Amino acid sequence: MKIGIFDSGIGGLSVVRAIHELLPGLDIIYVADQAHVPYGRRQMAEIRSFSEQITRFLLDQGVELIVVACNTASAAALKYLRQTFPTLPIVGMEPAVKPASQQSLTRAVGVLATPATFQGELYQSLVHKYGDGLQIYQDTCAGLVEEIEAGHLKDATTRHILETALEPMLANKVDTIVLGCTHYPFVLSLLREIAGDKVQVIDPAPAVARRVETLLRSEFDYQDRPDKNALLNFFTSADPVLFRHQIDTLLGYKGRIQKLIWTNEGGLEIEKKNHQ
Ligand code: DGL
């Protein structure tokens, strides 16, 4: 049993980590569309089109379930993907406004996500449903995805972006922070240094992993086989050498990386030259 997971870049690796921890026998194919990262400032239609093509590529590789491990792509494309591939189980990301609302004692929460995620209907509907009586402070953390892609997890610029986002939230008694972008768990320790350990930080990756497990068991009668060596196959549409280094640094995984090319027709194919 093989599932497909994608993101604009390395952010979805935080979701891969949670799924692989929970289901160590499950085969995973991961696509990082690093040729187009960041997605967060792009038009919804463009993100939708990338997401559709990546989904088609993953289906060609034989995956039976897709995880859109990107809040931005989920905001732009989840509904469309479910309409386009009606029999395919698709798990998406959504900013964890519901659990934040359940947990916050000060009734003030902070949400960190990209501009496209904040603009999407999905986020608006969550705020509408669970935001009653809740002060929600939003920040797009401009430039943070780029810093994380560059491996700057603790650098001065990264710290400055996070301080600028968090200080007004903390001044307004925010006690819960939602990581509404899958890149952000990789700066969790810096975020904790700034916010202190009294603030709760919600990373939705473990909940997404549990959702995948539930779906696999109910739809495919899946039994995990931790004794089996899971096949983890990684693709990037940019530089496979850099991507291998990123995966090694973030996950400690030294596996097979292949390069994908966006064709002139707007589809994806595997580059012939092999980067083993
Ligand atoms: N990791 C992404 C997300 O969850 C995408 C960030 C971006 O490409 O802008 O939103």
Side-chain angles (χ1 to χ4, degrees):
M1 172 92 207
K2 222 188 285 179
I3 70 163
I5 304 181
F6 73 89
D7 180 41
S8 58
I10 56 177
L13 296 177
S14 62
V15 179
V16 170
R17 181 172 61 185
I19 293 177
H20 187 60
E21 252 168 50
L22 188 66
L23 302 166
L26 178 66
D27 295 340
I28 294 175
I29 301 189
Y30 183 83
V31 171
D33 188 13
Q34 291 178 302
H36 296 129
V37 70
Y39 276 6
R41 292 194 305 268
R42 292 179 182 273
Q43 297 299 314
M44 294 296 201
E46 192 182 27
I47 303 168
R48 228 170 357 250
S49 154
F50 295 151
S51 301
E52 178 180 352
Q53 294 310 323
I54 296 169
T55 300
R56 291 193 189 285
F57 170 79
L58 287 167
L59 286 173
D60 286 346
Q61 305 305 306
V63 308
E64 294 180 89
L65 179 147
I66 297 265
V67 181
V68 183
C70 175
N71 288 265
T72 308
S74 297
L78 196 55
K79 204 164 149 194
Y80 172 77
L81 291 177
R82 288 186 172 139
Q83 280 161 0
T84 311
F85 307 97
T87 58
L88 173 68
I90 305 178
V91 177
M93 308 293 305
E94 62 178 39
V97 177
K98 181 183 175 187
S101 162
Q102 289 162 344
Q103 290 171 29
S104 171
L105 297 177
T106 58
R107 310 308 297 144
V109 307
V111 182
L112 310 179
T114 67
T117 298
F118 284 130
Q119 279 152 29
E121 267 171 46
L122 189 60
Y123 178 71
Q124 301 299 335
S125 74
L126 291 170
V127 171
H128 185 73
K129 258 203 221 147
Y130 307 109
D132 231 14
L134 200 64
Q135 284 299 324
I136 302 182
Y137 298 91
Q138 300 172 186
D139 199 285
T140 60
C141 298
L144 186 55
V145 167
E146 289 91 325
E147 293 300 324
I148 294 170
E149 284 285 322
H152 302 158
L153 305 185
K154 287 234 158 194
D155 301 45
T157 313
T158 309
R159 178 180 286 276
H160 178 71
I161 296 170
L162 279 173
E163 280 172 353
T164 309
L166 295 173
E167 274 162 9
M169 294 182 178
L170 298 170
N172 282 297
K173 308 244 173 324
V174 158
D175 66 351
T176 309
I177 291 170
V178 173
L179 302 183
C181 169
T182 53
H183 278 74
Y184 299 168
F186 293 123
V187 288
L188 184 60
S189 65
L190 183 55
L191 193 149
R192 285 217 170 280
E193 262 178 44
I194 299 166
D197 48 15
K198 289 204 186 67
V199 171
Q200 312 184 62
V201 181
I202 306 182
D203 168 10
V208 167
R210 289 193 296 276
R211 172 79 189 129
V212 168
E213 181 182 29
T214 304
L215 270 178
L216 290 180
R217 292 203 199 289
S218 64
E219 308 273 310
F220 301 95
D221 206 13
Y222 176 77
Q223 303 292 330
D224 197 45
R225 297 249 333 263
D227 57 311
K228 147 185 174 297
N229 268 341
L231 171 93
L232 302 181
N233 233 332
F234 293 91
F235 292 91
T236 177
S237 56
D239 179 358
V241 176
L242 173 65
F243 191 43
R244 181 190 290 126
H245 173 72
Q246 290 171 316
I247 295 174
D248 187 13
T249 311
L250 298 174
L251 300 188
Y253 175 78
K254 301 178 182 8
R256 183 168 193 219
I257 320 287
Q258 286 166 281
K259 179 170 165 66
L260 289 180
I261 309 212
W262 284 101
T263 65
N264 291 338
E265 293 72 45
L268 277 167
E269 62 185 36
I270 302 174
E271 190 188 58
K272 299 280 179 303
K273 201 170 115 206
N274 223 338
H275 294 270
Q276 297 262 4

